[in-house]
Amino acid sequence: MAEFSFELDDDQKAVRDWIHGFAADVMRPAAAEWDEREETPWPIIQEAAKIGLYSLDFYAQQYFDPTGLGIPMTMEELFWGDAGIALSIVGTGLAAVGVLANGTEEQIGTWIPQMYGDADDVKVAAFCSSEPDAGSDVGSMRTRAVYDEAKDEWVLNGTKTWATNGGIANVHVVVAVVDPEIGSKGHASFIVPPGTPGLSQGQKFKKHGIRASHTAEVVLDQVRVPGNCLLGGKEKLDERLARAREKAKGGGGRLKNAAMATFEASRPAVGAMAVGTARAAYEVALDYAKTRQQFGRPIIDNQGVAFQLADMRTRIDAARLMVWRASWMAVTGKPFDSAEGSMSKLFASETAKQVTAQAVQILGGNGFTREYPVERMHRDAAIYTIFEGTSEIQRLVIARTLSGVQIR
């Protein structure tokens, strides 16, 4: 078991510096353009693929880093570059985690490579869970999956929303209800292969931030997928549903559903994204405060500015440590007895919103213009307290875990 350390080893530092170079040299110069275009930055993704940064092999190496720090380190550096472009590069990872969390070895080996493609033919994937009436309330999910035993096929119907890469993905991972009588315990995840009839893109959203990342509805109309596209397989699903029904009769026990298993695994990674954006805004504000002259001296000479910067850096470092702790706990199999994964996501997300707002304030009128990147960073930071579990949901998870009470 890897010992927990605050110090990256030489190999990790080399990877970090390599990613940082890509973020600084390729992502940042293109960030404003793709934010304005509100389109998927395919040329940037392809550049990442050419150097091996967008590839199954790279993310597998980081995912299986025995210290747990490979993924958060990667996320922080990419999102330091630009949140919208970074989400286009890493958005496939949520679908991949969905397969890793719920799929068989054969499914993992078959579908995850198809999510990425290769440097000559780049692909992306989408994880589809949220619905128009089921965001935080996953128990209200309406998308149905019905098993056609005669054909060994599952038939999916419904509408998903807020899907990163939804509709443009090569592979979609869809969470659907297979047994509505047991609420969220009756959910399962399905692979929808490329070109499957009945899947289409609905509304593409024009967003406040992360505008270089494609977000859209996914419509499922009589979508038929083979039986082996049920993640985990039908035998495992039947066993899980039987246990859930027994628990429901007895009124006790808790079982994780397919979507929650994915989100629990990804929360520290989202925290790392937030740390990257916060760090980027802090660095811009620090440099600006050192050079901006008012009343005959740099504005950092004023306590009102200097103390803000001190608080910003303190929160960023604290958030990173919480993310690293949760990531190390996850990879070493230590349970989140105090909801450490949710804690890391909550604190880092709130830090990103606060730090980017302070950066805008330090830059004053310049911070409110698109001539300086903190305006974009502030818009981007708003998403962290919303997606993959709102801050309110994280607080609910933490409170329930600490108290043992089903707080509502």
Side-chain angles (χ1 to χ4, degrees):
M1 180 181 293
E3 293 296 324
F4 184 63
S5 172
F6 298 131
E7 183 68 25
L8 299 176
D9 63 31
D10 290 342
D11 289 340
Q12 290 170 322
K13 289 177 181 177
V15 171
R16 178 198 62 191
D17 294 345
W18 173 62
I19 300 169
H20 185 84
F22 180 83
D25 298 338
V26 180
M27 295 172 65
R28 281 205 166 181
E33 175 190 349
W34 289 101
D35 179 71
E36 291 286 346
R37 291 175 64 168
E38 299 190 56
E39 297 174 358
T40 301
W42 290 107
I44 310 298
I45 300 174
Q46 190 162 32
E47 285 298 312
K50 286 180 180 177
I51 65 170
L53 180 54
Y54 182 79
S55 70
L56 173 59
D57 287 345
F58 173 74
Y59 286 103
Q61 289 174 13
Q62 303 316 307
Y63 187 85
F64 292 109
D65 180 336
T67 70
L69 302 185
I71 289 294
M73 177 187 68
T74 298
M75 296 300 175
E76 180 177 338
E77 294 305 325
L78 287 174
F79 281 75
W80 173 90
D82 177 68
I85 294 175
L87 193 56
S88 287
I89 292 173
V90 307
T92 293
L94 186 59
V97 169
V99 176
L100 282 170
N102 301 293
T104 64
E105 289 187 10
E106 182 179 356
Q107 289 169 332
I108 292 169
T110 298
W111 295 110
I112 294 184
Q114 295 187 47
M115 294 180 176
Y116 289 92
D118 56 46
D120 297 321
D121 187 19
V122 171
K123 305 293 185 183
V124 295
F127 183 75
C128 307
S129 177
S130 293
E131 298 184 1
D133 296 316
S136 298
D137 181 12
V138 294
S140 296
M141 191 177 291
R142 295 179 180 177
T143 297
R144 295 288 189 266
V146 178
Y147 185 55
D148 183 342
E149 189 170 0
K151 296 184 177 180
D152 186 26
E153 292 179 339
W154 288 89
V155 185
L156 280 63
N157 285 282
T159 299
K160 294 296 181 178
T161 194
W162 310 123
T164 299
N165 298 329
I168 66 170
N170 192 49
V171 176
H172 290 76
V173 178
V174 177
V175 182
V177 179
V178 294
D179 186 344
E181 299 300 319
I182 51 177
S184 62
K185 309 302 184 294
H187 296 177
S189 291
F190 298 85
I191 292 287
V192 180
T196 300
L199 184 147
S200 62
Q201 180 184 307
Q203 176 187 5
K204 178 187 174 183
F205 296 103
K206 296 180 73 66
K207 305 187 297 294
H208 175 65
I210 56 167
R211 301 198 304 193
S213 173
H214 176 97
T215 310
E217 290 181 331
V218 174
V219 179
L220 302 145
D221 182 12
Q222 292 295 111
V223 172
R224 285 183 167 268
V225 299
N228 60 12
C229 285
L230 165 64
L231 290 181
K234 193 167 188 306
E235 182 177 347
K236 183 178 178 181
L237 172 65
D238 290 341
E239 292 174 358
R240 180 168 63 82
L241 293 178
R243 292 197 304 271
R245 293 178 190 122
E246 286 301 314
K247 294 288 185 182
K249 289 178 183 178
R254 296 179 64 197
L255 292 172
K256 296 176 184 177
N257 65 58
M260 289 302 101
T262 301
F263 290 139
E264 283 185 15
S266 65
R267 279 171 182 160
V270 176
M273 299 174 188
V275 170
T277 299
R279 189 183 112 213
Y282 158 77
E283 290 176 0
V284 173
L286 177 63
D287 290 343
Y288 185 88
K290 288 178 178 180
T291 57
R292 173 66 170 170
Q293 296 274 334
Q294 288 290 282
F295 304 105
R297 60 183 182 179
I299 62 173
I300 199 170
D301 284 357
N302 300 297
Q303 287 186 3
V305 173
F307 284 8
Q308 282 194 74
L309 289 162
D311 287 343
M312 291 158 74
R313 176 59 185 268
T314 299
R315 287 186 63 94
I316 291 166
D317 280 16
R320 181 185 298 109
L321 292 176
M322 292 182 74
V323 166
W324 283 17
R325 177 184 68 170
S327 301
W328 174 77
M329 290 177 68
V331 80
T332 54
K334 294 185 179 298
F336 289 159
D337 290 335
S338 298
E340 288 86 353
S342 288
M343 283 184 180
S344 69
K345 200 266 185 186
L346 170 65
F347 190 79
S349 298
E350 296 291 343
T351 291
K353 282 188 69 174
Q354 180 175 327
V355 166
T356 55
Q358 287 176 293
V360 170
Q361 188 68 25
I362 289 171
L363 269 67
N366 286 328
F368 201 65
T369 72
R370 294 189 183 181
E371 296 301 312
Y372 288 80
V374 293
E375 177 271 341
R376 184 179 67 252
M377 294 168 183
H378 184 42
R379 286 189 285 108
D380 291 342
I383 194 59
Y384 299 126
T385 62
I386 298 172
F387 73 173
E388 295 195 48
T390 64
S391 286
E392 291 74 20
I393 289 296
Q394 305 309 321
R395 291 185 176 100
L396 188 65
V397 170
I398 295 164
R400 285 176 173 176
T401 302
L402 296 177
S403 68
V405 176
Q406 280 296 99
I407 299 164
R408 296 184 180 275

